[in-house]
Amino acid sequence: MTERITAIVPPDGTLAGTAGRTTDGSTGGSTGGPAAGRSDAATGGTPDALSGVPGDTAGGASDGDRLPSPRFAFGRRTWQEIAHLLANLPVSIFGFVYVVTMVSTGSALAVTVVGLPLLAGGLLGARQLGKLERARARALLGVRIDEPSPLPVRRTGFFGWLWSSLKDPVGWRTVLYDLIRLPWGVLTFTVTLTSLFVLWPVLPFIARGLTNVDRAMVRGLLSPSDELERRIAELESDRGVVVDTAAADLRRIERDLHDGAQARLVNLAMGLGLAKEKLLEGQADETVAAMVDEAHGEVKLALQELRDLARGIHPAVLTDRGLDAALSSVATRCTVPVKVTADLPSRPAAAIEGIAYFTVSELLQNISKHSGARSASVDVWRTDQRLLIQVQDDGRGGARLDRGTGMAGLADRLGAVDGLFVIDSPPGGPTTITAELPWRDRQDDPAAR
């Protein structure tokens, strides 16, 4: 007959020890024996359904003898996705009610004076809903989304604001997003809530699939297009540069006409008036002849100033003979010897040709006034779809955009047409300035027709 002492399992799940004793006095069973293994299987080997960590085996069995336990615990990311899906229903209901009320009310009252302003204000509110949705997606889904550009503010009063708000693409995309979110919110809420009780083991996969659709919706409708936003910002800036440049050119033309040709024509009219009075009074011919000779000199000076002004607006040689001849002509007026090399298989569009001409003209004026150079060169050529201009001189160098020599204005003018302006001018020289313009064929330019 065998007498056995049963194993005692402490609360921590480890086996304190077993001692089997037989009638012959021999010791039977140890902590690693079969009896201990059976005791462990009955008491300490149950997996923890919440933590996913199986209980410690009491019999010291090897890892290969342990059965794998399913893992039901979810990570932080999965819980965030579940929270996002459950919140879809109340958020989508609020957004749907808001946009339907706003659009229907604004459209119904469009025939009155309050309809369109109400719709414009509603679109501004939709922008804020989109901002909240982007914040929720960033916090719970980990989607990195930049905020779109703010609504451009027009300086034309109330009607300018109204028109900008009514055609705001960000607001209308948010309206579309909130309209299609209601059925999707009902679906995701129902599936997620049901899976919490019925499909617990596969819920992480369901949540991941549903939130991937959410991510696609947010990126497609609420995320700004980086390229489009960048292009809009550039066009807004370039439009301002073009307007400012045109205004500066008009002020320069007005100043040149007022201080130059207009003043000379006034002196001419006064001189001819005095000559007429002398003739009527029967004065000596010598006095009248001197006054007419002076008036003739004023006429020639006024004509020269008008020619210079016309050349500053758009030189006739550029229109008639092209960029090569025009640059050679402007180079002859430079106080420094200039070598001009132009390798152009055809003429570019008139606007590009004009910008290239005035860029070289301004740079050659800077060389005459500021460089102290002994020689200079101008090279113009085409590569792919770009027109390249390079102006070099052996002067003292140190040219910069912020030195007040017109360089900043040239850079802005080239930037307004997607051009580039690069200065390489170390102190002591030499100076190399490279300008790059987009190439447009002349036959495609409406101004050339």
Side-chain angles (χ1 to χ4, degrees):
M1 181 176 180
T2 303
E3 180 182 359
R4 179 175 300 277
I5 299 176
T6 59
I8 300 174
V9 181
D12 60 356
T14 59
L15 189 61
T18 59
R21 189 174 56 186
T22 62
T23 55
D24 58 358
S26 61
T27 303
S30 65
T31 58
R38 286 192 297 272
S39 175
D40 168 69
T43 58
T46 304
D48 185 353
L50 293 178
S51 65
V53 181
D56 296 335
T57 56
S62 63
D63 292 340
D65 296 332
R66 302 177 185 176
L67 295 176
S69 302
R71 180 178 178 85
F72 295 107
F74 302 149
R76 180 170 176 265
R77 182 178 180 184
T78 300
W79 283 115
Q80 288 178 336
E81 292 175 342
I82 293 172
H84 179 87
L85 294 172
L86 292 176
N88 272 349
L89 181 59
V91 171
S92 61
I93 290 176
F94 178 80
F96 183 83
V97 171
Y98 174 82
V99 299
V100 169
T101 304
M102 177 263 297
V103 173
S104 59
T105 305
S107 302
L109 298 177
V111 295
T112 67
V113 295
V114 299
L116 293 180
L118 183 62
L119 184 59
L123 289 173
L124 293 179
R127 263 183 168 256
Q128 299 305 313
L129 290 180
K131 184 177 181 179
L132 294 177
E133 278 294 277
R134 284 186 292 271
R136 187 166 73 101
R138 282 193 292 265
L140 297 178
L141 300 183
V143 181
R144 296 292 177 259
I145 306 176
D146 294 330
E147 293 295 326
S149 298
L151 185 68
V153 179
R154 297 183 178 273
R155 300 178 181 177
T156 54
F158 171 76
F159 292 102
W161 167 85
L162 181 64
W163 176 245
S164 299
S165 301
L166 289 177
K167 67 185 187 70
D168 178 25
V170 177
W172 284 113
R173 281 188 296 165
T174 306
V175 169
L176 177 61
Y177 176 85
D178 286 323
L179 286 176
I180 66 177
R181 288 288 293 181
L182 181 59
W184 177 250
V186 173
L187 176 64
T188 56
F189 179 84
T190 304
V191 171
T192 306
L193 187 62
T194 304
S195 301
L196 279 171
F197 300 99
V198 180
L199 302 174
W200 179 272
V202 294
L203 180 56
F205 304 100
I206 296 175
R208 184 60 49 83
L210 294 176
T211 52
N212 282 339
V213 178
D214 270 322
R215 292 183 179 95
M217 286 186 182
V218 173
R219 289 192 180 101
L221 293 176
L222 300 183
S223 176
S225 171
D226 294 339
E227 182 64 24
L228 179 60
E229 291 290 327
R230 184 187 64 82
R231 186 60 179 163
I232 290 174
E234 287 182 355
L235 290 177
E236 289 286 342
S237 175
D238 293 345
R239 182 178 64 180
V241 171
V242 171
V243 171
D244 293 341
T245 302
D249 289 340
L250 289 176
R251 288 193 299 270
R252 177 182 59 83
I253 293 171
E254 188 274 335
R255 184 179 62 250
D256 292 343
L257 285 174
H258 182 272
D259 298 339
Q262 179 180 343
R264 293 194 180 279
L265 291 175
V266 169
N267 291 333
L268 172 63
M270 293 176 61
L272 291 177
L274 291 174
K276 179 181 178 181
E277 291 180 0
K278 295 292 185 183
L279 288 175
L280 293 176
E281 293 174 357
Q283 298 289 336
D285 294 340
E286 293 80 5
T287 304
V288 175
M291 297 178 67
V292 171
D293 183 65
E294 182 180 356
H296 182 257
E298 291 290 336
V299 168
K300 292 192 291 184
L301 291 176
L303 288 175
Q304 182 62 39
E305 289 179 355
L306 288 175
R307 290 193 190 99
D308 293 339
L309 181 61
R311 187 185 297 113
I313 297 173
H314 196 83
V317 64
L318 180 62
T319 303
D320 298 337
R321 300 173 56 190
L323 190 59
D324 189 1
L327 294 182
S328 299
S329 175
V330 75
T332 59
R333 298 195 296 272
C334 184
T335 59
V336 176
V338 181
K339 179 182 178 182
V340 178
T341 304
D343 184 12
L344 299 176
S346 59
R347 293 182 63 176
I352 301 299
E353 198 173 55
I355 294 175
Y357 170 82
F358 287 111
T359 299
V360 174
S361 177
E362 181 73 20
L363 292 176
L364 291 181
Q365 288 184 24
N366 286 339
I367 291 175
S368 298
K369 297 177 181 178
H370 309 293
S371 70
R374 295 186 299 273
S375 64
S377 64
V378 177
D379 296 286
V380 183
W381 71 97
R382 176 185 176 181
T383 173
D384 294 331
Q385 294 300 312
R386 309 294 284 183
L387 175 65
L388 296 177
I389 304 169
Q390 193 170 79
V391 179
Q392 296 178 312
D393 68 75
D394 57 358
R396 63 176 63 94
R400 290 169 51 184
L401 289 176
D402 56 354
R403 288 289 180 85
T405 55
M407 297 288 189
L410 290 177
D412 290 340
R413 180 174 293 188
L414 266 67
V417 292
D418 288 339
L420 296 175
F421 189 77
V422 181
I423 299 177
D424 181 17
S425 181
T431 296
T432 302
I433 297 177
T434 304
E436 183 177 336
L437 290 165
W439 180 276
R440 292 203 298 267
D441 291 327
R442 197 171 186 83
Q443 57 268 23
D444 299 332
D445 183 15
R449 297 172 186 171

